[in-house]
């Protein structure tokens, strides 16, 4: 009996937080130029540092732009346009992002698709103009490129990242080629639907199914779907999650909390 692994990308295979934070700052300056007049490099550095801490709340890349602006509003009361910024802390963002996000989207009159397009365009521009520094702002977790290269299991990438960026990083940084039809990126539907599709494919009948993710909320969504009961679920403890989430996951019987060394061994 063989194995099929559906793998999240950011936070499981690749630490892209540096790149996504820098891209988000660039995109935020384009989207809200007036808010960034007078923002100096030390303020930008502070924002990027905080982005590493709040990264676990991000489900889809465009949310990085919202976080950049929210952090700016927290630090600079004179530009505040949202009712939630005053007195908001980093812990407050980590605890309440799902409630905060719709409020600021409404109060700032933002459109999800427009932000997704802008974020993708900033990354494309950066890649086109300076592929080396774009690649260099990402890193694969230790041991992961080799684990992917030598995996005996069938591998799929299931991510909310746009497929072209995942593909570029796999090729350029990890030296790994995964066929395009095995990369399910942003726009291919919710992860639970992708998993349903994968398990129904005739060529996957009889395979043991494994899904590795770093977002606890995503794994909980899978557990809610009886149709997905045959999937083995793993939370990567090296990814974008908090200690509190790891402890909660450890108490859920369906979820195995996985360490990076165990993950690399599993793929081999």
């Amino acid at each position: 009996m063989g194995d099929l692994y559906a793998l999240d990308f950011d936070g499981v295979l690749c630490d892209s937080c540096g790149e996504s934070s820098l891209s988000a700052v660039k995109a935020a300056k384009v989207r809200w130029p007036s808010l960034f007049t007078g923002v100096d490099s030390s303020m930008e550095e502070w924002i990027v540092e905080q982005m590493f801490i709040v990264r676990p709340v991000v489900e889809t890349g465009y949310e990085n732009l919202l976080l950049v602006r929210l952090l700016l509003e927290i630090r600079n009361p004179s530009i505040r346009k949202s009712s939630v910024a005053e007195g908001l802390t980093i812990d407050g963002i980590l605890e309440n992002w799902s409630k905060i996000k719709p409020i600021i989207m409404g109060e700032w009159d933002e459109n999800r698709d427009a932000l997704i397009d802008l974020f993708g365009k900033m990354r494309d521009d950066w890649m086109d103009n300076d592929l080396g520094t774009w690649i260099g702002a990402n890193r694969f977790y230790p041991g992961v490129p080799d684990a992917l290269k030598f995996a005996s299991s069938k591998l799929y990438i299931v991510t909310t990242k746009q497929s072209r960026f995942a593909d570029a990083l796999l090729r350029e940084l990890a030296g790994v080629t995964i066929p395009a039809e095995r990369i399910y990126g942003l726009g291919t539907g919710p992860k639970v639907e992708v998993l349903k599709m994968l398990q129904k494919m005739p060529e996957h009948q009889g395979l043991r199914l494994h899904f590795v993710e770093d977002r606890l909320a995503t794994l909980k969504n899978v557990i809610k779907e009886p149709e997905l009961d045959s999937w083995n679920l793993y939370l990567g403890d090296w990814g974008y999650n908090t200690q509190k989430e790891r402890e909660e996951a450890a108490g859920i019987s369906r979820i195995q909390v996985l360490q990076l060394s165990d993950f690399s061994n599993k793929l081999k």
Side-chain angles (χ1 to χ4, degrees):
M1 191 184 204
D3 294 274
L4 179 155
Y5 278 85
L7 307 171
D8 179 36
F9 190 82
D10 295 313
V12 169
L13 304 180
C14 183
D15 179 3
S16 59
C17 193
E19 181 273 321
S20 59
S21 301
L22 293 168
S23 293
V25 170
K26 289 174 194 249
K29 286 177 170 174
V30 170
R31 181 71 193 91
W32 306 294
S34 61
L35 301 186
F36 280 84
T37 51
V39 171
D40 60 12
S41 60
S42 66
M43 172 71 97
E44 282 188 24
E45 282 168 19
W46 177 82
I47 290 172
V48 170
E49 282 167 13
Q50 305 311 307
M51 290 293 286
F52 277 88
I53 304 170
V54 298
R55 181 59 180 79
V57 304
V58 173
E59 182 175 14
T60 306
Y62 79 94
E63 294 172 53
N64 286 293
L65 271 81
L66 302 177
L67 286 164
V68 165
R69 175 168 172 180
L70 186 58
L71 288 165
L72 191 59
E73 286 200 11
I74 288 171
R75 278 299 283 269
N76 188 348
S78 66
I79 62 161
R80 277 182 194 156
K81 290 276 196 302
S82 65
S83 58
V84 294
E86 187 177 356
L88 186 63
T89 61
I90 298 300
D91 282 344
I93 294 174
L94 287 168
E95 289 284 321
N96 299 306
W97 180 240
S98 61
K99 298 189 186 87
I100 293 169
K101 185 172 71 169
I103 293 171
I104 57 179
M105 285 287 281
E107 290 178 346
W108 298 343
D109 193 25
E110 288 303 329
N111 173 276
R112 180 181 187 271
D113 290 339
L115 291 176
I116 287 172
D117 288 346
L118 173 62
F119 194 46
K121 183 180 181 305
M122 296 313 293
R123 286 175 148 164
D124 284 331
D125 288 350
W126 187 359
M127 286 170 76
D128 290 345
N129 294 318
D130 191 354
L131 184 63
T133 64
W134 183 80
I135 294 286
N138 296 272
R139 68 176 189 105
F140 277 82
Y141 293 104
V144 165
D146 280 350
L148 293 172
K149 276 177 202 160
F150 302 115
S152 52
S153 310
K154 200 159 190 183
L155 303 182
Y156 285 83
I157 308 296
V158 182
T159 177
T160 53
K161 198 183 197 75
Q162 288 169 310
S163 298
R164 64 185 184 277
F165 300 128
D167 180 56
L169 288 168
L170 284 162
R171 289 171 189 273
E172 301 286 341
L173 194 55
V176 174
T177 302
I178 291 184
E181 65 272 14
R182 291 201 192 176
I183 300 177
Y184 289 86
L186 185 66
T188 53
K191 290 185 180 183
V192 289
E193 298 306 320
V194 174
L195 295 182
K196 286 176 187 174
M197 190 163 54
L198 289 176
Q199 76 180 20
K200 283 177 184 160
M201 289 181 177
E203 64 268 33
H204 298 157
Q205 301 315 302
L207 294 181
R208 280 184 297 260
L209 305 172
H210 310 270
F211 177 44
V212 186
E213 171 64 66
D214 70 318
R215 290 192 78 248
L216 179 58
T218 304
L219 294 174
K220 285 176 161 177
N221 285 339
V222 174
I223 291 171
K224 285 181 200 157
E225 301 273 344
E227 200 181 321
L228 298 175
D229 281 350
S230 57
W231 286 84
N232 296 288
L233 305 179
Y234 307 90
L235 182 78
D237 76 351
W238 61 92
Y240 307 131
N241 44 57
T242 62
Q243 181 63 32
K244 188 177 168 189
E245 287 170 329
R246 292 189 284 275
E247 287 168 5
E248 185 184 342
I252 299 173
S253 59
R254 271 290 299 282
I255 300 174
Q256 187 178 333
V257 179
L258 200 58
Q259 293 180 318
L260 185 54
S261 56
D262 295 332
F263 170 65
S264 294
N265 288 333
K266 272 184 174 299
L267 291 192
K268 288 172 184 170

